Amino acid sequence: MSIFNYLIGNTDNHIKNFSLLYSPDLKHIRLAPAYDMISTAIYESSTREMALSIGNLYTLDKITRRHFEIEAKNAGLGLRLAMKKFDTMVSGFEEAL
């Protein structure tokens, strides 16, 4: 979701946009489907500062692939798998539009 928010320019990606779903017995938890994902960067009055940092950086226009590598490491994700997801989403983004 962070990659998608970055790609569409959603600087309103605050923590309240992430939710968890619990199984009826409360033994299993999963991330809820994404919601409230819009491009805020298209509005002149909107901030260029992300609500959540990526690789310890908030400024949308300064975030690079390297910042996603840092974020993957910070989150304890496997770098190869995380960056494969990043590269797939970036390479397919324009066609998806």
Side-chain angles (χ1 to χ4, degrees):
M1 290 191 316
S2 294
I3 298 168
F4 186 76
N5 280 321
Y6 164 74
L7 290 173
I8 66 169
N10 179 16
T11 59
D12 189 38
N13 59 328
H14 49 81
I15 198 69
K16 292 191 298 184
N17 290 351
F18 293 84
S19 295
L20 300 174
L21 297 175
Y22 295 85
S23 64
D25 63 4
L26 302 179
K27 291 185 180 183
H28 304 285
I29 304 170
R30 66 182 175 93
L31 193 59
Y35 58 91
D36 195 20
M37 299 176 87
I38 62 166
S39 177
T40 56
I42 65 169
Y43 298 104
E44 208 172 288
S45 62
S46 180
T47 181
R48 303 296 289 178
E49 300 294 311
M50 302 288 282
L52 300 174
S53 70
I54 297 174
N56 305 317
L57 189 65
Y58 289 90
T59 307
L60 180 64
D61 304 308
K62 294 183 180 180
I63 296 170
T64 66
R65 186 181 193 279
R66 178 71 184 127
H67 294 98
F68 280 92
E69 291 173 352
I70 294 167
E71 192 62 34
K73 184 177 179 184
N74 289 347
L77 300 174
L79 186 60
R80 286 180 65 190
L81 182 62
M83 297 318 296
K84 182 178 179 181
K85 176 59 90 175
F86 176 84
D87 293 336
T88 298
M89 289 183 73
V90 169
S91 67
F93 185 69
E94 189 175 326
E95 184 178 334
L97 289 177

